[in-house]
Amino acid sequence: MSKKQWVFWNAFLLCVVVYASSWILYTEWSKEPKPAFVNAAGSVDRDVIFPELSPDGTLSLRSFYLDDDEKSGSAMLLYGPNGETILVDSGTKKTVDQLLDYLDYLGIEKIDLAIATHPHVDHIGGFQKLIEEGFIDEMWMPNVKHKTFTFKRFERTIKKHRVSVTYIGDGDELTFGSLKFEVYNPPKETKEKAPKVRTVRDMNNSSTVMKVLYGRQSVLLTGDLYRDGEADLLVRHPEDLRATVMEAPHHGAFTSSSKQFIEAVSPKLVFMNANIFQSKSVYNRYVTSGAKVFVNAFDGTVVMKTDGDEWEVSTERSQLAEEEVLAVQ
């Protein structure tokens, strides 16, 4: 072996050892429990993000950060002007205790209305425990079935605890407390007969898509809609989708958020409710459109609040600048 080869192989082995050691240290660190409310500066701001709630004439939306090594799904809380509590999805079974802690911090002992956007585990996984512990008596959901154990258990739990279920679909205009809801998806015929769902794409495109209205402001909730589902909505509701606040479909993943869909909604504020950042190109598409984008993976729990005229936004962690997000590897 030449001297150059000897130097090369020793340097290579040293890099392998350093990398392996760093990975072991990171793995051990990631197993340690982390404080729920630590911002970028290391301080705790629990009272800002999770105050004990009381009606104050405003609508607030909390997109919860649910910590997990794998995808933790979506869970959002709408708190209405008169104290209405509406939980949209519930994350996974693994993260439901975090969700329960958040509700406890907020002083919420009962959910007035639960909305399950579609039957995937990262959206309905936490509902079983919430129902069993008496949090939920009423639920809105699409009439879409799934063959998974999680969904079958979900249905059994609803039946056992006599939760009142309303199937919702395109064309529904609903009122709950002081809030109004316009439902755009799934198609209205699914309310009478559950569609045949054969693929993940089919299931995600059967997600509930609805607009929440309060005063002059609105929030478009999009579930896990894919681009072809967005295209279908653009045909059925070309003039109805515009909203001030928008949930990026499918957690901000590359499967969704076409330029045409973003233009039709024209949001000022966008949130990506995922514990793992999904797509820089999708993020940049929203930024380029002029929207301010919030990402649970970086910002922690995001709180958006309106009096019906203006919005204010708070984040659990100091928000990354757009160029910092786009620089993430």
Side-chain angles (χ1 to χ4, degrees), residues 263-276:
E263 288 176 351
V265 180
S266 297
K268 302 300 182 187
L269 303 170
V270 174
F271 63 97
M272 296 179 171
N273 53 355
N275 63 318
I276 300 170

Side-chain angles (χ1 to χ4, degrees), residues 169-186:
D170 188 9
D172 285 337
E173 295 184 0
L174 308 165
T175 300
F176 194 88
S178 53
L179 301 176
K180 295 181 179 179
F181 297 80
E182 295 178 358
V183 184
Y184 306 134
N185 202 61

Side-chain angles (χ1 to χ4, degrees), residues 268-314:
K268 302 300 182 187
L269 303 170
V270 174
F271 63 97
M272 296 179 171
N273 53 355
N275 63 318
I276 300 170
F277 185 46
Q278 299 293 304
S279 170
K280 284 195 285 187
S281 62
V282 170
Y283 175 90
N284 195 46
R285 202 173 299 146
Y286 282 107
V287 170
T288 302
S289 78
K292 182 69 174 176
V293 186
F294 299 87
V295 185
N296 285 136
F298 302 131
D299 303 326
T301 292
V302 177
V303 183
M304 298 181 173
K305 188 173 181 179
T306 181
D307 59 2
D309 290 312
E310 303 291 339
W311 286 91
E312 61 180 51
V313 183
S314 303

Side-chain angles (χ1 to χ4, degrees), residues 18-277:
V18 170
Y19 176 81
S21 301
S22 299
W23 177 253
I24 291 170
L25 288 171
Y26 169 78
T27 303
E28 291 304 310
W29 172 84
S30 66
K31 293 177 182 177
E32 296 177 3
K34 301 176 182 59
F37 307 100
V38 177
N39 65 19
S43 61
V44 176
D45 293 321
R46 192 180 86 177
D47 291 340
V48 174
I49 305 301
F50 296 96
E52 187 164 331
L53 295 176
S54 59
D56 61 1
T58 65
L59 166 66
S60 64
L61 181 151
R62 280 172 170 76
S63 177
F64 292 119
Y65 174 76
L66 301 173
D67 189 32
D68 196 5
D69 293 334
E70 302 174 340
K71 66 176 184 178
S72 60
S74 171
M76 296 168 277
L77 180 73
L78 295 168
Y79 188 78
N82 298 323
E84 304 93 335
T85 53
I86 302 170
L87 182 67
V88 183
D89 290 331
S90 61
T92 66
K93 182 180 179 181
K94 287 175 63 178
T95 59
V96 67
D97 286 336
Q98 294 177 51
L99 179 56
L100 284 166
D101 284 344
Y102 290 154
L103 296 177
D104 182 54
Y105 297 140
L106 294 167
I108 294 174
E109 299 177 350
K110 192 78 173 178
I111 297 296
D112 297 321
L113 173 67
I115 301 174
T117 60
H118 64 294
H120 277 152
V121 63
D122 58 324
H123 291 257
I124 65 166
F127 277 132
Q128 180 190 1
K129 188 166 186 177
L130 289 164
I131 293 170
E132 288 175 343
E133 296 199 0
F135 276 86
I136 296 169
D137 295 324
E138 183 174 357
M139 181 170 290
W140 295 351
M141 58 191 288
N143 184 19
V144 179
K145 308 299 180 184
H146 206 4
K147 295 179 180 180
T148 62
F149 172 77
T150 297
F151 182 71
K152 292 183 183 299
R153 181 183 60 193
F154 170 67
E155 285 195 309
R156 288 196 301 269
T157 304
I158 285 174
K159 185 175 181 180
K160 178 181 178 181
H161 293 270
R162 299 180 179 179
V163 175
S164 174
V165 173
T166 300
Y167 290 132
I168 58 176
D170 188 9
D172 285 337
E173 295 184 0
L174 308 165
T175 300
F176 194 88
S178 53
L179 301 176
K180 295 181 179 179
F181 297 80
E182 295 178 358
V183 184
Y184 306 134
N185 202 61
K188 60 183 178 182
E189 57 267 22
T190 63
K191 292 173 62 178
E192 304 300 327
K193 183 180 180 181
K196 291 183 178 179
V197 177
R198 296 185 174 90
T199 65
V200 171
R201 179 186 297 274
D202 290 342
M203 182 66 71
N204 284 338
N205 281 336
S206 297
S207 291
T208 295
V209 177
M210 60 166 51
K211 186 185 291 184
V212 187
L213 301 105
Y214 178 60
R216 297 171 53 244
Q217 301 301 321
S218 56
V219 180
L220 187 70
L221 303 177
T222 57
D224 278 1
L225 204 66
Y226 277 25
R227 288 191 186 193
D228 48 344
E230 296 171 357
D232 179 54
L233 272 188
L234 290 173
V235 172
R236 289 191 281 121
H237 292 281
E239 305 297 330
D240 299 327
L241 300 174
R242 187 175 295 270
T244 318
V245 176
M246 177 184 181
E247 172 196 12
H250 202 197
H251 314 279
F254 71 94
T255 58
S256 312
S257 299
S258 68
K259 183 179 179 181
Q260 295 81 0
F261 191 65
I262 294 172
E263 288 176 351
V265 180
S266 297
K268 302 300 182 187
L269 303 170
V270 174
F271 63 97
M272 296 179 171
N273 53 355
N275 63 318
I276 300 170
F277 185 46

